[in-house]
Amino acid sequence: MSGARIPEATVARLPVYLRALNAMHEAGTTTCSSLELAQAAGVNSAKLRKDLSHLGSYGTRGVGYDVGYLRYQIAREIGLTQDWPVVVVGIGNLGHALANYSGFSSRGFRTVALLDGDGTRLGEHVAGLRIRGFDDLDEVVAEHGVVIGVIATPASGAQEVADRMVATGIRSILNFAPTILTVPEGVDVRRVDLSSELQILAYHEQRKSGGERGLPASVAHELAEAVDDVAAVAAPSTEQTAGQAAGARR
Amino acid sequence: MSGARIPEATVARLPVYLRALNAMHEAGTTTCSSLELAQAAGVNSAKLRKDLSHLGSYGTRGVGYDVGYLRYQIAREIGLTQDWPVVVVGIGNLGHALANYSGFSSRGFRTVALLDGDGTRLGEHVAGLRIRGFDDLDEVVAEHGVVIGVIATPASGAQEVADRMVATGIRSILNFAPTILTVPEGVDVRRVDLSSELQILAYHEQRKSGGERGLPASVAHELAEAVDDVAAVAAPSTEQTAGQAAGARR
DNA sequence: AGGAGTTTGTGAACGTGCGAACAAACTCGG
DNA sequence: CCGAGTTTGTTCGCACGTTCACAAACTCCT
Ligand SMILES: NC(=O)c1ccc[n+]([C@@H]2O[C@H](COP(=O)([O-])OP(=O)(O)OC[C@H]3O[C@@H](n4cnc5c(N)ncnc54)[C@H](O)[C@@H]3O)[C@@H](O)[C@H]2O)c1
Ligand SMILES: NC(=O)c1ccc[n+]([C@@H]2O[C@H](COP(=O)([O-])OP(=O)(O)OC[C@H]3O[C@@H](n4cnc5c(N)ncnc54)[C@H](O)[C@@H]3O)[C@@H](O)[C@H]2O)c1
């Protein structure tokens, strides 16, 4: 049972369940039904039960789930019984925030190094860690056995950083830069794309506020080129082409 | 055609296509095939064509797509021909990074206000905006016609912030706090959950490294309670219960 | 003009995911 | 011990998403 493959959609929800269980545990709850847990996690109760059934049969009919037990089982399945060393590359606006974020360390991840390509940042201390040069990557990875890398550089440098990470043996990458990374098979990349999230919200928002439609295609076609440089459509993204857009931090 | 409903999976990919098209446009490319665009976006070319076919028939067989034209059509479909005023609540580590992020403004979104519940931050200036009190929410929303809100507060305050946002008329929320928000029907919430992303990576990573399995369930059950307080499993998340974990910023 | 080559748009097959519904397994009270 | 009530685990039908494969539509060269 616990060797079988777990559907990707289920894997993506396990962290949510785990968090809900942790909250219950802290509230002193020792037992919960699938309905309670499902509501806390914001999903259908049938879906929750099916998800959990992929891990094994850890509930008791007529009773529910033991919070502590289920918590352990999910943590084990995700791999949080060990903690994972993580390296963050690109200590700008976002990198600083990530370095200071306590939510990682408290959930099974340990930031072991902060790297930046910009020499002027070297030596600066953030959250108790000294910023080191990007060239130290191999050393850091070897020393701590890092397998997860976080990229918080501008898009222009992200692919290069990813290539170097892969070369050093990192096989899981969390990418905040708005680019699609090309990596060899066997390397996992998850992308966190805030602009996309906002754009998806905007799409739905537009649908809600009555559907005032755009121009007919015939007219639009003629306007297309003219509109190219209008900021609202899609202003030249500084970071897609040009070197890092060093926004004035702080 | 352009009134029909677009599948959610497609909507989520449109921003990626748009970004790829913008990059091509800046590189001087005026035409591209579905294969080129698909590779730039990291998807199958058939999927790309089907996605685009939901918007209309904007390509030319034997030729491909006109970059400028397609760019306009996608931007229009998403609703980026106007720009959207956005309010950010919770100007801590992450809020500062978001405020300084140029990628939003350059992609059709305009941060019109930064709000924080902590009185001591009031008056501080970030990225040209003065931090205002959370109580100014109604005023800000009314003044700028805000419909999109970003929550970057600790989890403990997120639901309250969301409630207030909904009360003022905001119907789209981007939530960075690790909580499931409860909102009325008609309000969209998108969650960006960095810990979950890392945990998903960890799950796959664990599978890659030779699947050394956990303990048998029988033994695990006895250990479950003992293991509760081991940090690696899931240390008490400071922000789930306690008030804001004011990590030392800067 | 016509044929060869190219590329889109879409129909059809396949796989995955979701939700309702229900039998099996448990508790509890008498 | 039994029957009523509760809750899990699973089965089934359906909707959605993905990929293949190909006809239709276009360009270009002769
Ligand atoms: N700031 C945000 O809130 C935010 C939001 C969404 C996405 N992002 C994305 O996250 C990334 C970082 O954003 P930011 O605002 O922190 O940018 P930033 O410019 O403030 O920081 C980038 C850092 O990366 C370093 N860097 C650049 N190239 C490098 C390289 N090749 N190797 C190593 N280090 C390198 C720079 O020295 C700099 O310190 C960007 O891709 C941005 O699009 C940021
Ligand atoms: N920092 C990161 O890199 C990071 C990464 C992932 C997720 N997050 C999440 O983003 C959120 C913010 O993280 P952070 O590191 O910026 O935290 P932070 O503690 O640095 O900042 C939180 C800010 O929100 C304000 N605040 C608290 N309660 C409020 C309320 N009810 N109304 C208005 N403002 C309120 C506080 O005054 C503070 O300025 C947290 O939920 C965190 O889990 C942060």
Side-chain angles (χ1 to χ4, degrees):
Chain A
M1 167 65 77
S2 83
R5 182 188 142 277
I6 296 180
E8 194 53 38
T10 296
V11 172
R13 282 187 294 266
L14 290 181
V16 181
Y17 302 154
L18 183 55
R19 189 140 54 207
L21 286 167
N22 285 337
M24 287 180 181
H25 178 73
E26 287 173 43
T29 313
T30 60
T31 286
C32 72
S33 69
S34 66
L35 187 65
E36 290 169 305
L37 184 51
Q39 284 173 346
V43 300
N44 187 296
S45 74
K47 190 177 351 189
L48 170 81
R49 288 199 299 276
K50 188 175 294 186
D51 281 343
L52 295 186
S53 76
H54 286 114
L55 313 190
S57 190
Y58 298 139
T60 309
R61 298 174 191 221
V63 180
Y65 300 92
D66 180 281
V67 171
Y69 183 45
L70 186 56
R71 207 162 78 96
Y72 171 78
Q73 291 299 339
I74 294 181
R76 181 181 58 82
E77 194 66 43
I78 298 181
L80 299 189
T81 43
Q82 55 187 294
D83 71 40
W84 299 88
V86 171
V87 58
V88 180
V89 177
I91 316 300
N93 284 306
L94 188 60
H96 272 80
L98 294 174
N100 280 318
Y101 184 43
S102 57
F104 289 157
S105 47
S106 71
R107 289 193 188 91
F109 301 92
R110 192 162 37 92
T111 305
V112 297
L114 308 173
L115 307 182
D116 200 292
D118 185 355
T120 67
R121 291 193 192 275
L122 265 60
E124 187 182 335
H125 280 257
V126 182
L129 284 173
R130 186 175 57 87
I131 299 182
R132 303 171 64 174
F134 183 48
D135 294 332
D136 290 359
L137 182 64
D138 300 75
E139 192 182 324
V140 165
V141 169
E143 186 183 344
H144 295 92
V146 176
V147 285
I148 299 180
V150 175
I151 300 181
T153 66
S156 55
Q159 182 63 57
E160 185 201 327
V161 172
D163 291 344
R164 291 280 303 271
M165 281 182 170
V166 170
T168 64
I170 287 180
R171 285 181 303 179
S172 294
I173 296 177
L174 184 56
N175 179 30
F176 286 92
T179 332
I180 304 299
L181 297 177
T182 304
V183 295
E185 195 166 7
V187 177
D188 280 331
V189 175
R190 290 194 69 89
R191 193 168 40 95
V192 175
D193 189 336
L194 309 193
S195 299
S196 290
E197 297 298 330
L198 281 182
Q199 289 177 10
I200 294 167
L201 285 177
Y203 169 82
H204 292 297
E205 195 60 48
Q206 193 189 30
R207 292 262 148 158
K208 291 181 206 166
S209 25
E212 64 265 27
R213 308 299 314 144
L215 304 165
S218 54
V219 182
H221 204 164
E222 296 172 26
L223 280 175
E225 279 308 316
V227 94
D228 267 355
D229 292 289
V230 170
V233 169
S237 140
T238 50
E239 57 196 0
Q240 278 284 3
T241 49
Q244 69 219 48
R249 243 185 27 80
R250 255 257 70 171
Chain B
M1 167 63 80
S2 84
R5 182 187 141 278
I6 296 181
E8 194 53 37
T10 297
V11 172
R13 282 187 293 265
L14 290 181
V16 181
Y17 301 154
L18 183 56
R19 189 141 52 208
L21 286 167
N22 284 337
M24 288 179 180
H25 178 74
E26 287 173 43
T29 313
T30 60
T31 285
C32 72
S33 69
S34 65
L35 187 65
E36 289 169 305
L37 184 52
Q39 284 173 346
V43 300
N44 186 297
S45 74
K47 191 180 341 194
L48 170 81
R49 288 198 300 275
K50 183 156 289 189
D51 282 343
L52 294 186
S53 76
H54 287 113
L55 312 190
S57 190
Y58 298 139
T60 309
R61 299 175 190 220
V63 180
Y65 300 92
D66 180 281
V67 172
Y69 183 45
L70 186 56
R71 207 162 78 96
Y72 172 77
Q73 291 299 339
I74 294 180
R76 181 181 58 82
E77 193 67 43
I78 298 180
L80 298 189
T81 44
Q82 56 188 293
D83 71 41
W84 300 87
V86 172
V87 57
V88 180
V89 177
I91 315 300
N93 284 305
L94 187 59
H96 273 79
L98 293 174
N100 281 318
Y101 184 41
S102 57
F104 289 157
S105 47
S106 71
R107 289 194 187 90
F109 300 92
R110 193 162 37 92
T111 305
V112 297
L114 307 174
L115 308 182
D116 200 292
D118 184 355
T120 67
R121 290 194 193 274
L122 265 61
E124 185 182 337
H125 280 256
V126 181
L129 284 172
R130 185 176 57 86
I131 298 183
R132 303 171 64 173
F134 182 48
D135 294 332
D136 290 0
L137 181 64
D138 302 74
E139 191 183 324
V140 164
V141 169
E143 184 183 345
H144 296 92
V146 176
V147 286
I148 300 180
V150 175
I151 299 181
T153 67
S156 54
Q159 182 63 58
E160 185 201 327
V161 171
D163 292 343
R164 291 281 304 270
M165 281 182 169
V166 170
T168 65
I170 287 180
R171 287 182 303 179
S172 294
I173 296 177
L174 185 56
N175 179 30
F176 287 93
T179 331
I180 303 299
L181 297 178
T182 305
V183 295
E185 195 166 6
V187 177
D188 281 330
V189 176
R190 291 194 69 90
R191 195 167 39 94
V192 175
D193 189 336
L194 309 192
S195 299
S196 290
E197 297 297 329
L198 281 182
Q199 289 178 10
I200 294 167
L201 285 177
Y203 169 82
H204 292 297
E205 194 60 48
Q206 193 189 30
R207 293 262 147 157
K208 290 181 206 167
S209 25
E212 61 267 23
R213 305 303 314 144
L215 304 165
S218 53
V219 182
H221 203 164
E222 295 173 27
L223 280 175
E225 278 307 316
V227 96
D228 267 354
D229 293 288
V230 170
V233 170
S237 139
T238 50
E239 57 195 1
Q240 279 283 2
T241 50
Q244 70 219 48
R249 245 187 25 82
R250 255 260 72 175

